[in-house]
Amino acid sequence: MRRLFGYFSVATVIVVALSIFAAAATAGLVILLGQGFDLLYRGEALDTQWYIGVGGELLALALSTFLVPVVISHDSQLLTSYHRSILLKHYLSIGPLAVRKTGEGELVHAAMESVDRSVKYRSTFLGPASAAAATPVLILIFIALFIDPLSAILLLIPTGLVPAIVLGFQKRFGGSSGEYRRAQGILSATFLDALRSLNMLKLNSGSIWMGKTINAATERVRQQVMKLLARNQLILLVIDSSFAVLLLASSAGLAWWRTSSEALSPGAGFALIILSYLMLAPVNYVGSFFYIGMTGRAAEKQLAEIQEIPMHPSMANPLTVNLKDNGLFIQNVCATYNNADLALNEINLQFPAGSRTAIVGPSGSGKSTLIRVLQGQLESSAGLIHDGRQAMGPATLKANTAVVEQQATLFGVSVGENLRIGAPQATDEQLLAALSQVRLASWLAAQPLGLDQPLGEGGARLSGGQAQRLALARALLAQRPVLLLDEPTSALDVHSEAEIRKILRELGASTTIITVTHRLGLLQDYDYVVVMDHGRVIQFGPREQLVKQEGYLNKALSVLDERTAQLQSSGLRALGEKEA
Ligand code: ADP
């Protein structure tokens, strides 16, 4: 982000030029008024040249005053959308794990609030404030050229104090606006958590607790704002009054001394006092410097830090591999989230092309981690993934796999747009074919807008089964040789689950399917089974062979059989009692 913000934009340069032009026009006007005063004082008439001069200055002033806000508002809009789109691209490039690690609340806050603040700083503040900072110099030059060089030199002394004091206060205030930004980040994260877990909070009567947490976060923000305001107001008061008094008193003293010694005319003396008032322009920006300047710079610091999160390796260029014909091999693969504990420990597996494999095992055993590694989301820390010929990194894996997760991620846009996320070039015919493959053709026919039918936020208008089938259609459209499924039916009813299983069974042998599942009763859909525990593969082989072999799977299946038998007999007993 430093790359983006580290320059004065063209708009800022225009704003600075226009604002300096306006200041010059005002100074010129004041000097002309002084000269007019002298003419009238001497009993002479104001000439045409004077009127033309005043008219010209007024016109220049009006024009630049009108143009500055127009340029600023145009620039703000452009900058805001530009920075948000750059940021979004960056979020996509760092990958979901880095997003979660950085904190989704912080990233949302950065994209909304911080971009707003930094744009406000860049476009509404930086240009006018830089021009204001240059104004005293400009005015001193005008005084030296058109009024009195000696007064200009003497006025340099109080003027020089302004930047020294502003810089001094800038140092003191850095920390306090940083604390404010952190408090804001925590508040955004808390809100995001609350929104995401509304259902859970409601079910567990957690809304009171969440309300208290949000209140505490809001209170922290309020305290930081009040702290910032109180310190600001005090400093503003001191700076404002001391400078106004200092400059005005100095210029009034100078005007009195120079006019009484007849070095200056009364009109020039009058112009000197008014011009010294114009030199207070930078002081007017000290206030906004703390509000807009400091918070804007803190926001830019946050954006720069986010920009420094490195791009995920899966964003590199993928290699060309042939996973349609060659199998997928995993050799001694390890993976970790925190560089300390191994979530995958020395994994060795092979998935023949077109095979179907179920990954089972207790919770926390590393099943989802294995799927993340295979989809290129998490880079393995050791070992090799290859197709029998070439090693594959995250980018190649990403390009060759499609994923269906437990909960389908759908967007509020149309059916067609949701489907085209994985296959932007797909034609309408291909979309319809994929929908009929997942048995959604009749559902689509009932939608008044067909493929253009909006889905509602998060696919709210779909049942769980429909959403999951739509996600499956999207994965199929991407035409990747490997389909990764992470418990795709765990949130579905029995009927919807049966439908998804049927669709998966119908897929040709051109797709290798790897599914994480906890449904041991449905293992007959798979050729191979992997049993994981504590990040290791404890059993792996053809299903037929594995179910007979002593071990975890065999035991778990016996427990399942016993339970089914118990259920059946208690059901029969209940039926018998009813009949008796
Ligand atoms: P499973 O899918 O079998 O339930 P996971 O692959 O989700 O298991 O988890 C394996 C291990 O990795 C667990 O110890 C879990 O705590 C850890 N883990 C999973 N996801 C993350 C993550 N995003 N950050 C840190 N650790 C994680």
Side-chain angles (χ1 to χ4, degrees):
M1 210 52 64
R2 214 162 267 155
R3 270 173 284 141
L4 288 176
F5 289 113
Y7 64 85
F8 265 86
S9 70
V10 179
T12 312
V13 174
I14 297 175
V15 169
V16 172
L18 282 173
S19 307
I20 290 182
F21 185 61
T26 316
L29 192 63
V30 172
I31 290 166
L32 276 178
L33 288 179
Q35 288 170 355
F37 179 80
D38 284 340
L39 286 175
L40 293 176
Y41 186 69
R42 290 200 298 268
E44 294 168 30
L46 299 172
D47 52 17
T48 327
Q49 214 181 343
W50 187 87
Y51 281 112
I52 293 174
V54 170
E57 301 285 13
L58 280 175
L59 195 67
L61 189 61
L63 197 68
S64 42
T65 317
F66 166 75
L67 282 177
V68 167
V70 174
V71 176
I72 285 177
S73 104
H74 184 69
D75 185 48
S76 304
Q77 282 163 18
L78 278 183
L79 271 184
T80 309
S81 60
Y82 174 66
H83 290 321
R84 291 220 171 105
S85 70
I86 293 271
L87 214 51
L88 185 62
K89 266 192 206 141
H90 186 64
Y91 291 174
L92 290 174
S93 79
I94 63 177
L97 289 176
V99 165
R100 231 171 292 158
K101 206 165 156 191
T102 312
E104 288 156 320
E106 167 145 1
L107 295 182
V108 171
H109 179 252
M112 305 312 293
E113 187 92 7
S114 300
V115 166
D116 266 348
R117 281 181 192 280
S118 81
V119 167
K120 206 167 181 197
Y121 165 63
R122 282 281 147 186
S123 55
T124 62
F125 172 77
L126 204 55
S130 311
T135 303
V137 182
L138 181 84
I139 303 263
L140 284 177
I141 294 173
F142 268 72
I143 294 176
L145 289 180
F146 302 109
I147 300 179
D148 179 27
L150 181 64
S151 301
I153 292 170
L154 290 175
L155 277 177
L156 260 179
I157 303 163
T159 315
L161 286 173
V162 180
I165 293 201
V166 171
L167 287 177
F169 280 119
Q170 178 193 349
K171 282 215 172 101
R172 271 205 60 190
F173 267 79
S176 137
S177 60
E179 280 161 32
Y180 164 70
R181 173 170 70 76
R182 272 188 291 283
Q184 273 283 9
I186 292 171
L187 179 61
S188 305
T190 317
F191 259 119
L192 202 65
D193 278 351
L195 278 178
R196 280 225 198 87
S197 42
L198 273 182
N199 248 347
M200 182 280 282
L201 288 172
K202 235 171 151 182
L203 287 175
N204 295 303
S205 313
S207 47
I208 295 175
W209 169 80
M210 190 39 109
K212 277 188 190 153
T213 314
I214 290 178
N215 280 348
T218 314
E219 176 58 20
R220 263 198 300 277
V221 173
R222 193 193 64 81
Q223 281 173 359
Q224 288 304 328
V225 171
M226 291 316 287
K227 229 171 164 176
L228 215 61
L229 282 178
R231 283 159 99 182
N232 273 2
Q233 286 317 103
L234 184 69
I235 288 158
L236 287 186
L237 197 72
V238 174
I239 293 187
D240 245 5
S241 48
S242 56
F243 272 104
V245 170
L246 191 68
L247 262 174
L248 290 178
S250 319
S251 62
L254 270 173
W256 177 77
W257 170 51
R258 300 293 280 164
T259 45
S260 59
S261 60
E262 296 196 351
L264 282 185
S265 65
F270 155 79
L272 182 65
I273 297 174
I274 303 291
L275 286 177
S276 71
Y277 180 75
L278 292 182
M279 282 167 64
L280 290 171
V283 175
N284 295 332
Y285 276 90
V286 174
S288 14
F289 179 82
F290 290 115
Y291 290 122
I292 304 174
M294 297 306 294
T295 50
R297 286 173 56 162
E300 288 195 353
K301 201 167 147 223
Q302 181 195 27
L303 294 173
E305 282 164 12
I306 289 174
Q307 190 73 4
E308 272 157 22
I309 301 172
M311 195 192 261
H312 191 266
S314 67
M315 296 303 287
N317 285 332
L319 300 172
T320 313
V321 290
N322 181 4
L323 286 177
K324 269 204 164 36
D325 301 318
N326 302 330
L328 178 64
F329 301 88
I330 304 185
Q331 265 181 344
N332 304 326
V333 161
C334 298
T336 169
Y337 290 96
N338 51 15
N339 296 322
D341 310 310
L342 286 182
L344 291 184
N345 195 346
E346 296 280 333
I347 303 289
N348 285 289
L349 290 171
Q350 33 188 299
F351 306 96
S355 63
R356 284 139 201 268
T357 306
I359 305 175
V360 299
S363 183
S365 57
K367 305 181 296 290
S368 301
T369 306
L370 181 58
I371 294 287
R372 278 186 203 128
V373 169
L374 288 176
Q375 74 177 96
Q377 200 193 111
L378 180 67
E379 196 175 13
S380 53
S381 57
L384 197 64
I385 301 175
H386 62 93
D387 68 342
R389 290 155 200 254
Q390 293 194 74
M392 292 184 283
T396 312
L397 287 167
K398 191 176 123 196
N400 282 282
T401 54
V403 186
V404 176
E405 292 164 317
Q406 216 170 53
Q407 293 271 342
T409 309
L410 296 171
F411 299 93
V413 294
S414 70
V415 180
E417 283 169 287
N418 267 292
L419 287 175
R420 282 201 176 94
I421 290 170
Q425 318 297 345
T427 60
D428 280 2
E429 287 70 38
Q430 285 170 316
L431 300 192
L432 294 173
L435 286 174
S436 90
Q437 200 176 353
V438 298
R439 294 181 167 74
L440 280 177
S442 54
W443 167 81
L444 187 80
Q447 304 306 311
L449 298 177
L451 286 172
D452 294 328
Q453 185 70 32
L455 282 187
E457 197 169 331
R461 303 222 177 102
L462 298 175
S463 71
Q466 287 169 334
Q468 211 56 337
R469 277 184 283 151
L470 202 64
L472 192 56
R474 179 163 66 195
L476 296 178
L477 270 167
Q479 297 188 325
R480 306 279 167 76
V482 179
L483 182 59
L484 303 169
L485 303 129
D486 195 349
E487 305 217 33
T489 58
S490 62
L492 302 184
D493 58 83
V494 181
H495 174 70
S496 304
E497 179 174 56
E499 263 189 324
I500 299 251
R501 286 177 60 205
K502 227 185 271 172
I503 296 163
L504 289 175
R505 274 201 301 267
E506 283 166 10
L507 286 183
S510 60
T511 311
T512 307
I513 299 178
I514 304 171
T515 311
V516 169
T517 181
H518 66 291
R519 302 290 302 259
L520 295 183
L522 306 177
L523 287 185
Q524 67 268 31
D525 292 352
Y526 301 93
D527 311 317
Y528 295 89
V529 178
V530 175
V531 182
M532 297 195 66
D533 193 22
H534 289 97
R536 292 177 185 274
V537 171
I538 54 166
Q539 283 187 295
F540 170 52
R543 173 181 51 87
E544 303 260 350
Q545 201 178 318
L546 223 59
V547 289
K548 289 182 203 137
Q549 205 174 302
E550 280 289 301
Y552 173 93
L553 191 62
N554 185 287
K555 248 188 241 157
L557 285 171
S558 320
V559 173
L560 190 70
D561 285 345
E562 262 170 45
R563 275 207 204 131
T564 317
Q566 269 173 11
L567 274 175
Q568 273 172 354
S569 69
S570 61
L572 283 177
R573 228 178 301 136
L575 209 64
E577 279 160 16
K578 224 178 175 185
E579 278 174 2

